[in-house]
């Protein structure tokens, strides 16, 4: 039949091995990438899907040559070389090697293979190293600084969903993986499961976890009735008791009353100033408040805190108060932050937490926890609070945030709380949320860790 170029071309290509194919496809990919030709990308993808086939169809060869025709001069030469006599094959390969060394546009084809053709990499599972995926270190100096309120609090998140790797990491840091939730590089204790029990509300018995809409509705109505009853009982109590506490709450804006309250309750500025800010008449507009950053609602806090405060405010004081509850940010350079730091490093519960999480923090993990203050001033100022994003910064210091929603719980027996709750129900006290940024210097941290 005579010489058939297409047949000859197919015979030569069938003799080449996978590595030669990979070389050609990589040439096509890079030559055409520089022209940013969408059609080339599409064809390149098709070639990637077929490269491991032992035999290629005639259409695939034609399409490959069409792609080459869109490339530069080197691609065109490759088309012609495919039709040459097999005796010149070695010369072509030698020329190709020279091109690799001299052409500055030449790319690393191994990278192409790994990206598009992983099946061509002759690696076994035994060749691959499995290492712990530790979070990357936060190197942005001002990333956690909310002083200007424009900086967001961000936790660096490793690019993995390997739960087993996290479990192994937790065990390495002395933590029981069954007791914690790991999200990104943030470690949070799992909430204690609520035991099933029967709760009596207004002489009606309800399961603690009803799971039924009708029962939930009846239970909510019963709780409202109980709240009214507790409120009336508290009102009667305050008519006869807690005169000093009621007077202090009602006149906390007076400097003499503030001083007397601090002496009487053995507290400091924070306990009285936090109460003053909560008075509806002076709500978040006191001289103390003006020294710090005020948020008009949770929507103004950094993104990493928005969902947290949305849930916290809703659960604690009701969804109806979500948009109108203000907040305050107290930065590390303030007297209050220094006072809080001094209280923390003397608090036995906090010291235990610092020792517990030290190894994890040294591996750039962030810790979420909670604390019930032992210090009298901060017990009155905040009480029970959350610890957010505790970590070791680039200077080796412990950096953390103490967060809280300031309100007064129903049913407390403490006279100050009972009086304040009464005023809160009357609208004379308005809850707010707070964020304290605290830094414990490296030297003080090490001194705590060395304690026995």
């Amino acid at each position: 039949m005579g010489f058939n170029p297409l047949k000859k071309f197919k015979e030569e290509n069938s003799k080449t091995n996978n590595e030669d194919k990979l070389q050609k496809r990589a040439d096509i990919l890079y030559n055409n990438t520089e022209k940013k030709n969408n059609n080339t990308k599409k064809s390149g993808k098709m070639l990637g899907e077929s490269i491991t086939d032992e035999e290629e169809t005639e259409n695939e060869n034609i399409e490959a040559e069409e792609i080459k025709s869109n490339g530069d001069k080197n691609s065109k030469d490759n088309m012609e070389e495919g039709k040459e006599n097999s005796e010149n094959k070695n010369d072509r390969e030698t020329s190709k090697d020279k091109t690799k060394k001299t052409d500055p546009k030449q790319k690393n084809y191994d990278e192409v293979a790994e990206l598009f053709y992983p099946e061509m990499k002759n690696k076994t599972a035994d060749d691959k190293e499995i290492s712990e995926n530790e979070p990357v270190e936060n190197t942005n100096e001002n990333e956690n600084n909310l002083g200007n309120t424009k900086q967001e609090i961000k936790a660096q998140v490793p690019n993995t969903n390997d739960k087993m790797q996290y479990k192994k990491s937790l065990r390495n840091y002395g933590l029981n993986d069954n007791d914690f939730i790991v999200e990104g590089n943030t470690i949070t204790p799992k909430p204690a499961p609520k035991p099933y029990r029967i709760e009596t509300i207004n002489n009606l018995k309800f399961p603690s976890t009803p799971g039924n809409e009708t029962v939930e509705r009846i239970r909510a109505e019963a709780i409202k009735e109980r709240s009214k009853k507790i409120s009336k009982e508290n009102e009667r109590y305050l008519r006869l008791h807690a005169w000093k506490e009621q007077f202090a709450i009602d006149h906390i804006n007076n400097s003499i009353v503030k001083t007397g309250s601090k002496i009487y309750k053995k507290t400091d500025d924070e306990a009285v100033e936090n109460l003053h800010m909560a008075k509806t008449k002076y709500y978040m507009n006191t001289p103390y408040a003006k020294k710090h950053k005020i948020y008009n609602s949770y929507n103004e806090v950094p993104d990493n805190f928005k969902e947290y405060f949305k849930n916290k405010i809703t659960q604690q004081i009701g969804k109806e108060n979500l948009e109108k509850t203000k907040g305050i940010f107290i930065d590390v350079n303030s007297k209050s932050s220094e006072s809080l730091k001094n209280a923390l490093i003397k608090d036995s519960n906090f010291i235990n937490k610092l020792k517990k999480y030290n190894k994890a923090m040294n591996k750039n993990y962030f810790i979420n926890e909670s604390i019930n203050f032992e210090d009298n001033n901060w017990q009155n100022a905040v009480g029970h609070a959350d610890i957010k994003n505790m970590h070791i910064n680039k200077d080796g210091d412990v950096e953390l945030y103490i967060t809280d929603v300031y309100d007064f719980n129903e049913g407390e027996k403490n006279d100050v709380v009972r009086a304040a709750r009464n005023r809160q129900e009357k609208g004379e006290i308005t809850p707010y949320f707070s964020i304290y940024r605290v830094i414990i210097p490296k030297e003080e941290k090490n001194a705590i860790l060395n304690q026995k």
Side-chain angles (χ1 to χ4, degrees), residues 66-81:
E66 288 177 351
I67 293 173
K68 289 183 181 180
S69 67
N70 292 328
D72 58 15
K73 185 177 180 180
N74 290 335
S75 299
K76 186 175 181 181
D77 292 341
N78 288 337
M79 177 68 175
E80 294 174 356
E81 289 172 6

Side-chain angles (χ1 to χ4, degrees), residues 160-216:
T160 181
N161 291 319
D162 191 350
K163 293 183 179 180
M164 293 303 298
Q165 197 65 45
Y166 280 131
K167 286 179 176 290
K168 180 180 177 181
S169 296
L170 288 175
R171 291 193 294 269
N172 289 340
Y173 309 143
L175 303 175
N176 188 334
D177 55 86
N178 293 320
D179 297 336
F180 297 92
I181 298 171
V182 179
E183 295 177 322
N185 67 338
T186 301
I187 299 174
T188 306
K190 289 182 180 178
K194 293 182 179 180
Y196 182 84
R197 59 187 179 84
I198 299 297
E199 183 180 14
T200 301
I201 306 175
N202 298 340
N203 298 322
L204 295 175
K205 293 184 178 180
F206 296 91
S208 57
T209 53
N212 180 285
E213 291 184 6
T214 303
V215 176
E216 281 280 17

Side-chain angles (χ1 to χ4, degrees), residues 245-267:
E245 287 76 9
Q246 292 181 76
F247 181 85
I249 290 170
D250 293 339
H251 301 89
I252 199 65
N253 56 295
N254 186 293
S255 59
I256 297 175
V257 174
K258 279 184 180 179
T259 303
S261 297
K262 288 192 287 186
I263 295 172
Y264 175 63
K265 287 294 182 180
K266 297 179 181 180
T267 61

Side-chain angles (χ1 to χ4, degrees), residues 299-315:
N299 288 308
E300 296 182 4
V301 304
D303 289 342
N304 283 48
F305 276 132
K306 282 183 180 178
E307 193 66 22
Y308 163 77
F309 276 116
K310 180 181 179 181
N311 295 332
K312 189 83 171 175
I313 293 168
T314 300
Q315 292 169 6

Side-chain angles (χ1 to χ4, degrees), residues 294-416:
I294 300 300
Y295 301 114
N296 290 311
S297 78
Y298 82 97
N299 288 308
E300 296 182 4
V301 304
D303 289 342
N304 283 48
F305 276 132
K306 282 183 180 178
E307 193 66 22
Y308 163 77
F309 276 116
K310 180 181 179 181
N311 295 332
K312 189 83 171 175
I313 293 168
T314 300
Q315 292 169 6
Q316 224 167 300
I317 56 178
K319 187 176 182 180
E320 65 277 9
N321 296 308
L322 184 59
E323 299 294 334
K324 58 186 179 182
T325 300
K326 293 186 177 183
I328 186 171
F329 170 69
I330 298 173
D331 208 348
V332 72
N333 55 358
S334 64
K335 180 183 175 182
S336 291
S337 177
E338 180 71 14
S339 172
L340 182 51
K341 184 261 298 184
N342 292 332
L344 287 171
I345 62 177
K346 296 175 183 177
D347 193 297
S348 62
N349 291 327
F350 180 77
I351 291 172
N352 289 335
K353 295 179 191 299
L354 200 59
K355 292 180 178 180
K356 178 180 181 179
Y357 296 110
N358 182 55
K359 287 184 179 179
M361 290 192 294
N362 277 319
K363 291 295 184 179
N364 301 319
Y365 279 89
F366 286 58
I367 307 299
N368 289 336
E369 258 285 359
S370 62
I371 186 169
N372 194 4
F373 284 98
E374 297 173 347
D375 180 86
N376 190 57
N377 174 51
W378 286 98
Q379 175 61 40
N380 283 281
V382 176
H384 185 85
D386 291 330
I387 299 172
K388 302 291 289 181
N389 290 3
M390 183 168 69
H391 65 284
I392 295 177
N393 63 23
K394 64 182 183 64
D395 298 318
D397 306 326
V398 175
E399 188 167 344
L400 66 143
Y401 298 85
I402 298 293
T403 61
D404 184 49
V405 174
Y406 187 89
D407 77 320
F408 296 93
N409 297 329
E410 177 185 83
E412 293 285 343
K413 299 302 181 182
N414 180 284
D415 283 353
V416 174

